[in-house]
Amino acid sequence: MAATQATAARKFPEGLRVLAVDDSPVCLMLLEALLRRCKYQPTMTRDAATALRMLRERPGDFDLVISDVHMLDMDGFKLLELIGLEMDLPVIMQSANGELETMMKGVTHGACDYLVKPVSLKDIQNIWQHVWRKRKLDIRNHNGGYNDGGELVGATRTKRKYTRKMRNDGDNYGENKENMDSTLKRQRVVWTPELHRDFVIAVHELGVDRAVPRKILRMMKVDYMTRENIASHLQKYRLYLKRISTQTGMDPDQFPEKWKYMNELDALKNYCENGRYRLTPAIASSSSSNPFARMNSASALATNGFLPTHSVQLKNSQRNMAMGTVGHGGSPGNNPVFQPLQNSSNARKCFPSGPSGSSFANISNGLVLDTDDSGSSYAGMFCKSMWETSNGSPSCHSGNSSANKSNNGVSAPANQFQVQSKFGFSALANQFPVQSNCGFSAPANQYQVQSNGGFSVPANQFPVQSNGEFLAPTNQFPVQYPEVNNQPLVQMNQSSTNHFSTIGNDYQFPDLANCSKYWQPTAPSMFPDLGHNDGTSFRPSQANIANINQLSSFAASSGQEPMFGDELHGQMSPIMSTISLSDFDDQMGSFNIGNDTSPAEMMHDNFSLGSDSNISSSTPTDSSFGSTFPDFHLDSPEMPAQMLNGGDEDGILLPVLDDTVDQQDLFDQLDENNGREKLGSGRCVRKGPFECFF
Amino acid sequence: MAAAALTSQLNALVNNMFAMGLLDDQFQQLQMLQDSTAPDFVSEVVTLFCDDGERIICELSRQLEKPNVDFDRVDSYVHQLKGSSASVGAQKVKNTCIQFREFCQQRSRDGCLKTLDLVRTEFYDLRNKFQAMLQLEQQIQACYPKH
């Protein structure tokens, strides 16, 4: 495979169609000579307006744009911005000015590279990488699982055909190669000025903060466009707004000034656009304390939030394979730890309609951008699509809540603060840091949430730390759950045993137990007075992965509106691109998240939580929660209020099922929970020491 | 024989330009890019540079004569000249352009005018040498019968 790729790569850069814009004829001539020497197909123009016209008129005809920064007729940054918004082409900036500030500005505005004049042959020889990277990203997006229906459009395009079979065969590279060899063209939505104008109008009518792709699409009434196209464009547009509001250099034009979006989002979007990661300071700092995570479940496959990498690949052709590493600096393959997780067929049996652990995602925090009330969160869709992809059945209902959607390892964005997800899901925090070390973490409204294991639901006003399995929302009190340890999860569910019982032995999550071993010594206890309740419920030992998986399934299945995979396309693209997934069958590999720590270390010895992860040895007694997150609205100001803990007041449901569980009951219960969502207003799902405080 | 003499004259000229710091490595890059597919590449680029540079310098002096100097515009032109000279390896002109831009940023008209003179001197000096160089090349080519 590597060989064929190399062949393709050797042939590939030839004929690369490059549009070069420079108002200096001398530079242009040099550039042309360089491009020709590299066997590219250059098209030269001396002014930006012409370049833009060519790009608009012949949208499929170029693979890459090289633009000068200083041009008399148009600022190169402006051109860059327009190309980014309309064409989604990689753009390389070049300038005689090599000052750091200018270069940064170029990169900030979405340039994939910045060359300082005189441009050398070496520079030009390497530019194909940007095209390759972008293309690969796109292909992966396709593979990652949305339907063919998600593709566009345009008379000049050749329609790619990806069959489900192809997508599932686990060999993405084969497709890449085929694609690369056959044509350099790729699917692209052409955002003509008219379309963009309509888009802007729609966004403004809806309000920037409330605009979601679906509504925009409805308003634009463009039938050949899909929600994904809109979503992707919206993402860029928001980034653009963000940039122009933070930079005085850009003319805010027709766009509203105010833009409050979080850094993570930006980073993610930048990832989309640039094909590379850029960490915002907030992310960088948080991720550095984010040693790793691992989990067997789909849920556990989540993320270090910010850094989806290419290294996560799941294929059913490999069992027991390492799931890969998420995060910077981690390297896949070093993580021997993975335990057989779960048999997805079992999971399916139990949860025919939800994504069970067999599907998962590596999703970063910045990911789930827009959900509307109808509950089309990307995460959910993502899950669904994965589920569909892997099982061939569209049976997963995505929930109304983003949290649902965030089940399979999806972590949603934090609105203004950092989010850390060490493993599991972390949903978004509206204003404060969220850390989820394992399991799910739902949004925190104003304070930080830390979940070191299990799920964490939104905390409204206080820090929440969950070291155990599930964390329900707290309104006024700090909550800490102790490390995961050696008691069956079922104990958490005492109050709801009629609904849930332990799942079979099929699912084991031994690593969790190990984790606890390390956690305890390394993590300071923030609330030592809570005491050490070893015997109490929060100690899933052989932590049944199934719990988690099923929990995820529940959440996912509690949705109200079936969604399909292709919904995912736009916003999820960064994720999709980083994960190749196929059907995961028997075993999940290890999952390593972290930034600076070496994977092996993280996995085995040093399960130390980030500096801000506090692990308490105390265990709240008999708190059981269900954490299905039926209503999780991302990207909306009132989002946190919607985060729901699917449980209801009698302190339910850890959806741990065994085969004897009557599923109908279970789902009924879930439905019920859904019906009662709006927890944000103060429903508490727990009993025990932390009664409802709302 | 004449061709050999001319060639050594040409080499001496080019070497002298390097030695004086008029040219830098970029010029060698240009020479490297000249191949069978672009046999006259160097002379084309150099000719273009001479014309373009002259145009920019005229434009600059016109801009600086205006009662209200648009320094941003001046800066753009200087930047263009800098790009051009960097592309052909005209090191001295390029370096002077860097100074020029500083004066632009300081909004110093006097500084700009002074540097413009400097740039002009350097540019014409270089242009003369380039022209001599092109002439020699033509003579050398003329020595060989066309195939």
Side-chain angles (χ1 to χ4, degrees):
Chain A
M1 194 187 297
T4 54
Q5 252 194 316
T7 314
R10 243 198 319 276
K11 199 184 164 201
F12 152 70
E14 293 183 16
L16 194 78
R17 296 156 309 166
V18 180
L19 177 64
V21 198
D22 197 326
D23 62 349
S24 158
V26 179
C27 298
L28 205 59
M29 191 179 217
L30 171 67
L31 194 55
E32 184 177 9
L34 291 168
L35 290 167
R36 289 202 189 283
R37 174 57 71 92
C38 297
K39 298 199 167 76
Y40 302 148
Q41 280 179 41
T43 306
M44 320 306 290
T45 175
R46 281 190 58 185
D47 59 299
T50 311
L52 210 52
R53 206 187 58 235
M54 289 165 91
L55 287 166
R56 284 171 177 159
E57 285 170 1
R58 298 148 55 192
D61 284 6
F62 301 102
D63 298 309
L64 179 76
V65 179
I66 300 180
S67 168
D68 191 24
V69 172
H70 293 266
M71 289 180 289
L72 290 177
D73 70 323
M74 187 190 286
D75 185 356
F77 293 124
K78 179 94 180 170
L79 179 67
L80 172 64
E81 208 65 77
L82 288 169
I83 293 173
L85 277 170
E86 295 178 27
M87 264 78 68
D88 192 28
L89 281 173
V91 179
I92 294 172
M93 300 302 287
Q94 53 151 6
S95 170
N97 187 358
E99 289 155 26
L100 191 66
E101 200 180 314
T102 320
M103 296 181 76
M104 272 178 173
K105 192 176 171 192
V107 176
T108 309
H109 281 67
C112 62
D113 207 346
Y114 190 106
L115 307 176
V116 179
K117 289 179 186 175
V119 178
S120 74
L121 187 61
K122 220 182 256 172
D123 294 330
I124 298 300
Q125 266 170 344
N126 293 330
I127 59 173
W128 60 267
Q129 293 173 88
H130 306 295
V131 179
W132 180 264
R133 181 184 296 123
K134 194 128 191 157
R135 198 167 291 157
K136 223 160 164 145
L137 213 85
D138 291 345
I139 291 166
R140 289 203 186 196
N141 290 348
H142 280 269
N143 290 342
Y146 68 87
N147 294 339
D148 293 350
E151 301 184 355
L152 262 272
V153 156
T156 60
R157 316 275 149 85
T158 55
K159 178 142 183 155
R160 280 186 294 188
K161 292 188 173 58
Y162 288 117
T163 63
R164 172 159 291 161
K165 182 167 164 291
M166 286 172 74
R167 257 184 273 130
N168 283 343
D169 68 7
D171 185 358
N172 298 313
Y173 294 110
E175 288 177 65
N176 288 353
K177 181 175 71 71
E178 169 198 84
N179 201 348
M180 299 310 302
D181 286 345
S182 60
T183 172
L184 293 177
K185 291 185 181 168
R186 63 192 196 87
Q187 302 287 331
R188 229 176 259 138
V189 189
V190 186
W191 282 89
T192 62
E194 294 75 32
L195 273 180
H196 182 61
R197 191 197 55 220
D198 290 348
F199 169 84
V200 171
I201 290 170
V203 170
H204 279 247
E205 242 166 83
L206 293 166
V208 177
D209 291 339
R210 290 169 191 281
V212 292
R214 172 170 304 196
K215 289 181 186 166
I216 296 169
L217 182 59
R218 222 178 284 139
M219 289 181 70
M220 286 177 70
K221 299 191 177 86
V222 185
D223 52 359
Y224 60 84
M225 231 183 253
T226 65
R227 187 178 169 284
E228 289 68 50
N229 302 132
I230 305 277
S232 157
H233 196 63
L234 180 63
Q235 216 172 12
K236 286 192 185 130
Y237 180 66
R238 284 177 163 164
L239 179 61
Y240 176 62
L241 293 181
K242 166 87 174 171
R243 279 198 300 250
I244 60 177
S245 66
T246 53
Q247 282 203 18
T248 51
M250 273 308 285
D251 174 17
D253 268 356
Q254 69 266 49
F255 306 128
E257 294 275 345
K258 183 178 135 252
W259 179 245
K260 34 174 188 161
Y261 235 65
M262 58 199 211
N263 290 334
E264 285 83 353
L265 267 183
D266 290 339
L268 205 66
K269 284 185 282 191
N270 285 328
Y271 174 74
C272 265
E273 291 186 358
N274 303 337
R276 54 174 73 161
Y277 301 110
R278 281 196 290 131
L279 292 186
T280 59
I283 297 177
S285 64
S286 63
S287 55
S288 63
S289 62
N290 199 6
F292 79 99
R294 67 189 152 165
M295 232 164 144
N296 286 333
S297 73
S299 358
L301 292 180
T303 93
N304 181 357
F306 326 98
L307 307 168
T309 68
H310 292 246
S311 55
V312 178
Q313 296 190 354
L314 302 180
K315 298 177 184 178
N316 61 358
S317 58
Q318 292 178 261
R319 305 208 156 175
N320 232 346
M321 76 173 279
M323 296 269 287
T325 305
V326 175
H328 259 192
S331 68
N334 288 340
N335 318 323
V337 208
F338 238 63
Q339 295 295 331
L341 231 320
Q342 107 147 41
N343 188 325
S344 65
S345 63
N346 281 343
R348 278 178 233 161
K349 237 188 307 181
C350 291
F351 297 95
S353 63
S356 71
S358 60
S359 59
F360 64 89
N362 165 19
I363 297 181
S364 78
N365 287 326
L367 261 176
V368 180
L369 303 183
D370 302 291
T371 61
D372 56 13
D373 291 344
S374 62
S376 53
S377 93
Y378 296 106
M381 292 185 286
F382 186 38
C383 295
K384 251 177 299 170
S385 71
M386 280 194 288
W387 177 253
E388 283 172 28
T389 307
S390 59
N391 294 323
S393 88
S395 57
C396 166
H397 302 274
S398 109
N400 207 8
S401 75
S402 343
N404 293 347
K405 294 153 187 181
S406 71
N407 274 332
N408 285 332
V410 176
S411 80
N415 213 5
Q416 298 189 342
F417 288 79
Q418 63 177 11
V419 172
Q420 291 188 355
S421 168
K422 290 191 171 150
F423 46 97
F425 312 134
S426 106
L428 74 141
N430 206 13
Q431 300 190 341
F432 283 82
V434 172
Q435 293 187 345
S436 165
N437 292 329
C438 105
F440 314 132
S441 101
N445 200 10
Q446 299 189 338
Y447 290 84
Q448 66 173 17
V449 173
Q450 293 186 346
S451 164
N452 291 328
F455 313 122
S456 85
V457 205
N460 254 350
Q461 300 190 347
F462 282 85
V464 174
Q465 295 185 344
S466 166
N467 297 325
E469 290 291 326
F470 302 94
L471 177 56
T474 66
N475 219 9
Q476 301 190 347
F477 286 83
V479 175
Q480 289 192 347
Y481 290 103
E483 69 278 13
V484 178
N485 54 24
N486 296 326
Q487 296 222 356
L489 195 53
V490 63
Q491 292 193 4
M492 297 173 67
N493 297 324
Q494 288 163 351
S495 62
S496 57
T497 43
N498 53 334
H499 290 299
F500 313 101
S501 62
T502 314
I503 211 139
N505 292 331
D506 294 345
Y507 313 109
Q508 295 207 345
F509 194 17
D511 289 341
L512 272 182
N514 283 339
C515 297
S516 67
K517 200 162 67 188
Y518 298 108
W519 288 4
Q520 192 144 1
T522 52
S525 165
M526 238 168 103
F527 301 94
D529 51 317
L530 281 180
H532 200 121
N533 296 328
D534 277 336
T536 44
S537 55
F538 242 82
R539 320 203 139 224
S541 81
Q542 305 272 21
N544 273 324
I545 241 342
N547 299 339
I548 293 172
N549 290 333
Q550 288 166 4
L551 191 55
S552 350
S553 319
F554 272 147
S557 63
S558 63
Q560 303 187 343
E561 193 178 316
M563 303 285 190
F564 293 93
D566 58 338
E567 298 266 355
L568 260 187
H569 173 43
Q571 305 273 19
M572 292 304 272
S573 57
I575 300 172
M576 300 306 237
S577 65
T578 58
I579 303 178
S580 51
L581 42 115
S582 19
D583 192 358
F584 324 119
D585 230 354
D586 293 284
Q587 295 164 5
M588 297 300 158
S590 59
F591 187 55
N592 182 6
I593 297 179
N595 228 9
D596 304 320
T597 324
S598 88
E601 203 183 343
M602 294 190 292
M603 297 310 287
H604 291 303
D605 303 324
N606 228 351
F607 201 155
S608 67
L609 301 174
S611 57
D612 34 6
S613 307
N614 296 286
I615 299 195
S616 152
S617 58
S618 62
T619 307
T621 59
D622 88 295
S623 309
S624 54
F625 328 26
S627 137
T628 57
F629 308 87
D631 198 353
F632 193 128
H633 290 257
L634 304 181
D635 187 19
S636 85
E638 62 274 13
M639 163 211 27
Q642 310 268 3
M643 311 273 193
L644 233 287
N645 188 337
D648 63 3
E649 311 219 331
D650 40 47
I652 16 169
L653 47 131
L654 252 212
V656 177
L657 293 193
D658 77 3
D659 293 19
T660 65
V661 167
D662 178 347
Q663 294 205 11
Q664 192 50 53
D665 284 353
L666 190 66
F667 285 109
D668 285 347
Q669 171 118 21
L670 283 171
D671 287 343
E672 193 184 339
N673 293 335
N674 276 340
R676 294 196 214 167
E677 42 197 79
K678 310 317 173 202
L679 155 91
S681 54
R683 169 159 304 178
C684 178
V685 202
R686 271 173 310 109
K687 285 192 144 187
F690 308 107
E691 285 279 354
C692 260
F693 298 109
F694 299 17
Chain B
M1 260 346 249
L6 289 170
T7 305
S8 67
Q9 209 180 330
L10 176 63
N11 286 340
L13 176 63
V14 173
N15 287 340
N16 180 253
M17 287 168 82
F18 275 109
M20 289 173 66
L22 290 177
L23 296 179
D24 62 18
D25 293 347
Q26 180 62 21
F27 190 75
Q28 287 168 327
Q29 286 266 332
L30 291 190
Q31 292 175 315
M32 202 195 68
L33 284 169
Q34 180 163 303
D35 59 11
S36 58
T37 60
D40 297 323
F41 179 68
V42 174
S43 61
E44 280 171 19
V45 173
V46 165
T47 310
L48 197 58
F49 168 74
C50 293
D51 296 348
D52 190 51
E54 193 166 18
R55 176 186 65 85
I56 293 173
I57 287 172
C58 286
E59 190 62 49
L60 278 172
S61 50
R62 227 178 49 208
Q63 292 286 336
L64 288 171
E65 277 165 17
K66 285 185 183 173
N68 293 318
V69 179
D70 180 351
F71 283 102
D72 288 333
R73 195 153 184 87
V74 172
D75 186 61
S76 304
Y77 283 114
V78 178
H79 190 265
Q80 240 188 47
L81 185 60
K82 185 185 166 196
S84 293
S85 47
S87 295
V88 295
Q91 190 173 227
K92 255 190 173 168
V93 176
K94 186 186 79 177
N95 290 339
T96 313
C97 284
I98 294 172
Q99 288 175 34
F100 203 148
R101 293 199 68 197
E102 281 168 17
F103 286 116
C104 284
Q105 273 149 20
Q106 292 165 18
R107 301 286 191 255
S108 158
R109 183 180 188 155
D110 289 345
C112 284
L113 283 169
K114 229 169 65 189
T115 332
L116 178 62
D117 286 342
L118 191 59
V119 167
R120 192 184 280 121
T121 313
E122 279 168 357
F123 174 75
Y124 283 112
D125 181 34
L126 179 66
R127 197 182 72 157
N128 290 337
K129 294 206 158 66
F130 270 149
Q131 283 171 344
M133 186 186 87
L134 295 180
Q135 227 169 356
L136 281 169
E137 275 181 355
Q138 277 173 0
Q139 289 171 7
I140 293 167
Q141 275 182 2
C143 291
Y144 296 101
K146 299 248 156 133
H147 295 292

